[in-house]
Every structure is written in structure tokens, then in C-alpha cells.
Amino acid sequence: MLHEKGVEQTTLADIARAADVPVGNVYYYFKTKNELVEAAITAHADNLQAMIGALDELPTPQDRLKALLNSWIDQRELTARYGCPTGSLASELDKRADGLDEAVARVMRDLVDWAAQQFQEMGRDDSRELAVALIAAYQGISLLTNTFREPELMAAEGRRLERWIESLA
Amino acid sequence: MLHEKGVEQTTLADIARAADVPVGNVYYYFKTKNELVEAAITAHADNLQAMIGALDELPTPQDRLKALLNSWIDQRELTARYGCPTGSLASELDKRADGLDEAVARVMRDLVDWAAQQFQEMGRDDSRELAVALIAAYQGISLLTNTFREPELMAAEGRRLERWIESLA
DNA sequence: GTCTATATTTAGATAGAC
DNA sequence: GTCTATCTAAATATAGAC
């Protein structure tokens, strides 16, 4: 729900209704709304870690990066509707005074670090810059895909990034 | 203020205080908060149009695109603090039920269209895809620059995109 | 056109029975 | 652990004097 409507627009009443419990009940599990959001970020981080773990099974860094691209393309319909979960969270939480933005920043950094490691294994000494460029390309095309509601933008950019990765070898 | 704190987090009280007028006064100029936000989007769109108009004075499409990159780099400190105004607006307004997201989409589309025109003048038949990739790269690096609060990310990506544009000729 | 005061609504949060 | 009822605070919006 936080992905679909954002943190601000999602009320505890929304969450309670989705969980089919009365509103007051939510406070038995989370003392504040911020605590609930924090738990959601942690859950999202765990999902990403699991995904990265699966990618690490692949033999070469090129395979792993291309598999990441394909997972992005597979998610294009969802992205067109709601954007990238990590990116829209980062964008929204940055505007708030609470410290939740740091939790999202860590998630984003983990992803960049993982990508940098792949480029390094490909023998690139500009691995960090390439990783930032790759994740930025994904975040940006997610935003455009969402803004224009055109899933095919993600697919086209994914194919372009694939050619780019191949050209780096 | 909408850029700094976002639409949701900026209250009419904030705006009234910044304008040094009482809260009720704002309603003399804008019937609703949404109307005020719409006016801000229009003003932002006008700013971008003026900027594009200035770029159009430059002789070649390469010059114009590189000048755009440099303006992004010049804004890196602001971007690190608050992100790209257009991008963070697009991300936030997408989550809301009102129709304001379409106004931002138009702003974003104008920018993509302008970039596509430059690539077309460079003789590229994939001008649309390149334009989407360029604006996506900017939106993405804006998000990362903001999330990590590292202005230098924008500078490095700007230089990388400059080399990329030169390689397309 | 500007101001004060206030109405309305909604969301986050709490109290206490069961 | 679950539920109903309620409190509180804040933000949008309005009324009406000046």
C-alpha cells in the first residue's frame, strides 16, 4: 500500500481495512505510524537482499547484471502504475523531518554497492561510477515510465542498458 | 517551498508565513491548495520554457545538450538537498487522486520532446529513445544525488553524459 | 484587499472493556 | 490480543469585520 499510495496518502485506516482489523488494533503492533513505515522499509530491504542473493547464483557478473535488467523489465507494468518502490520512497521520505530517509538511503546504497562489485569483477576500475550510472538509469526510467504511464519505456531502456553492459566487456 | 518540503508537507500556514500574510489571506488568491500547487507548476513550466529558449540560441544541438548538462551540474547543491523539482513533483503527485500529475507529465514531456529534437538534428533516427535515456539519466542521478546527499554524483554523471553525447556524433 | 476568528474534517493516537 | 469509543492536533477552508 505504501508503494501504491505513498506514505503520506496511506492512512492507518487504509492499512487496518486492508488487514481487516479495527484501526486501534494497529497500535498493538506499531507504536507509531513511523514505526510501521520503518518495518515496511526493512521488509522491502529483505526482499531486495533475497533477490540479490538469487542473482549471485549466476556464473558471470554480466549474467547477473542482465538478470537484474530483466527483472526490472518484468516489473514494468507495476512500475508504470506506481514507480520504483525504493525510488518513490526515497523521494518522498527526503521531504520529511523524521530519520526514515536514512533507512531508504541504506537500501539504495546496498544496491549500488552490489552493482559496483559486478563491474569490478568485470575488470573496470570505474566500477563505482558505472554502478551509480546504472542504478540512476533505472531510477530515472522508472520515474518516466510512471509519469507517462508507458511500460514500454522501461523495456526499451532495459534493452539499451543491456547493449551498454555488453559493450563494457 | 514546494520543492524543498514537497506538496504534502508544505502547509498553507507555511506559505502564508513565508509571504508574511495571515493564513486566511491565501484564499483570496487561490480557492484551494490544489489551485495554488497548479499555479506553482505553471510557473515552474514557464521557467523551464525560458531556459529552453535560451539554450536554443546556441548554434549546434551538441552545444545545446551540453549546456543543459552544465546547468544540471551547476544546480547540484540544490539537487543534493531537494532533488529535481520536476522529478520530485512527478513522483509525489502520482500518488494522489487529483489530476495534478498530468500537469507535471506535460512539463516532463516538453523536456523530452526538446531533447529528442536535438538528437534528431544530430541525424539520429533513434532520437526519441536517446532523449528518454538522457532525461531518465538526469532524473535518476538527481534522485541518487539527493538520497545520498552527494552533489558530486551529479557532476560525475554530467561529465559521463557529455562524453556519451560526443560519442553519438 | 487584508485581517481575526472560527468552522470542518481527518488522521494519528489513546483508554479501557472484553 | 481484539475491539469500540474517544481524544487531540493539525490542516484546509470559510465568515465576516475592517
Side-chain angles (χ1 to χ4, degrees):
Chain A
M1 294 193 71
L2 296 178
H3 182 204
E4 293 180 19
K5 303 180 59 173
V7 172
E8 214 81 49
Q9 291 281 320
T10 303
T11 68
L12 291 176
D14 290 333
I15 292 169
R17 183 155 19 86
D20 205 41
V21 293
V23 212
N25 212 329
V26 177
Y27 287 92
Y28 180 75
Y29 298 93
F30 306 99
K31 275 195 283 292
T32 64
K33 184 182 178 182
N34 266 11
E35 228 174 71
L36 184 149
V37 173
E38 202 172 6
I41 295 173
T42 302
H44 178 57
D46 291 346
N47 283 343
L48 281 185
Q49 278 307 122
M51 185 191 165
I52 284 177
L55 293 179
D56 279 333
E57 300 296 312
L58 296 171
T60 72
Q62 286 93 332
D63 289 335
R64 297 193 278 271
L65 289 171
K66 284 186 202 170
L68 179 63
L69 291 178
N70 281 322
S71 80
W72 291 342
I73 295 176
D74 287 344
Q75 297 286 313
R76 66 188 180 280
E77 294 285 349
L78 202 65
T79 305
R81 253 181 289 194
Y82 311 118
C84 163
T86 315
S88 51
L89 251 185
S91 178
E92 184 176 9
L93 294 182
D94 168 70
K95 307 294 187 193
R96 298 167 40 128
D98 46 49
L100 290 176
D101 53 344
E102 288 168 30
V104 189
R106 268 191 297 274
V107 176
M108 194 79 85
R109 193 175 300 275
D110 285 345
L111 192 56
V112 172
D113 287 347
W114 179 86
Q117 195 182 328
Q118 310 312 311
F119 286 118
Q120 196 171 9
E121 288 183 27
M122 288 168 64
R124 303 286 310 201
D125 62 351
D126 53 352
S127 60
R128 169 85 187 168
E129 184 177 329
L130 294 175
V132 168
L134 177 69
I135 304 303
Y138 167 59
Q139 288 300 331
I141 199 65
S142 292
L143 185 76
L144 294 193
T145 297
N146 179 228
T147 299
F148 298 147
R149 314 232 178 248
E150 287 184 37
E152 284 316 304
L153 290 184
M154 176 65 78
E157 177 71 1
R159 290 189 295 268
R160 203 186 65 89
L161 290 170
E162 187 167 354
R163 292 193 300 271
W164 174 66
I165 285 171
E166 281 165 357
S167 77
L168 291 176
Chain B
M1 295 193 70
L2 296 178
H3 182 204
E4 292 179 19
K5 303 180 58 171
V7 173
E8 214 82 47
Q9 291 282 320
T10 303
T11 68
L12 292 175
D14 290 333
I15 292 168
R17 183 156 16 88
D20 205 41
V21 294
V23 212
N25 213 330
V26 177
Y27 287 91
Y28 180 75
Y29 297 93
F30 305 99
K31 275 195 283 293
T32 63
K33 184 182 178 180
N34 266 11
E35 226 172 74
L36 184 150
V37 173
E38 201 171 7
I41 295 173
T42 303
H44 178 57
D46 290 346
N47 283 344
L48 281 185
Q49 278 307 121
M51 185 192 165
I52 284 178
L55 293 179
D56 279 334
E57 300 296 313
L58 296 171
T60 73
Q62 285 94 332
D63 289 335
R64 297 193 277 272
L65 289 170
K66 285 186 202 171
L68 180 62
L69 291 179
N70 282 321
S71 80
W72 291 342
I73 294 175
D74 288 343
Q75 296 286 313
R76 66 188 180 280
E77 294 286 348
L78 202 65
T79 305
R81 251 180 289 195
Y82 311 119
C84 164
T86 315
S88 51
L89 250 185
S91 178
E92 183 176 9
L93 294 182
D94 167 70
K95 307 295 187 192
R96 298 168 40 128
D98 46 49
L100 290 176
D101 53 343
E102 289 169 29
V104 190
R106 269 191 296 274
V107 177
M108 193 78 85
R109 193 174 299 275
D110 284 346
L111 192 56
V112 171
D113 287 347
W114 179 85
Q117 196 182 328
Q118 310 312 310
F119 286 118
Q120 195 171 10
E121 288 183 27
M122 288 168 64
R124 303 286 311 201
D125 61 351
D126 52 353
S127 59
R128 169 83 187 170
E129 184 177 330
L130 294 175
V132 168
L134 177 69
I135 304 303
Y138 167 59
Q139 287 301 331
I141 198 66
S142 292
L143 185 76
L144 294 193
T145 297
N146 180 228
T147 300
F148 298 146
R149 313 230 179 249
E150 288 184 36
E152 284 316 303
L153 290 184
M154 175 65 78
E157 177 70 2
R159 290 189 296 269
R160 203 186 66 89
L161 290 170
E162 187 166 355
R163 293 194 299 273
W164 174 66
I165 285 170
E166 281 164 359
S167 78
L168 291 175

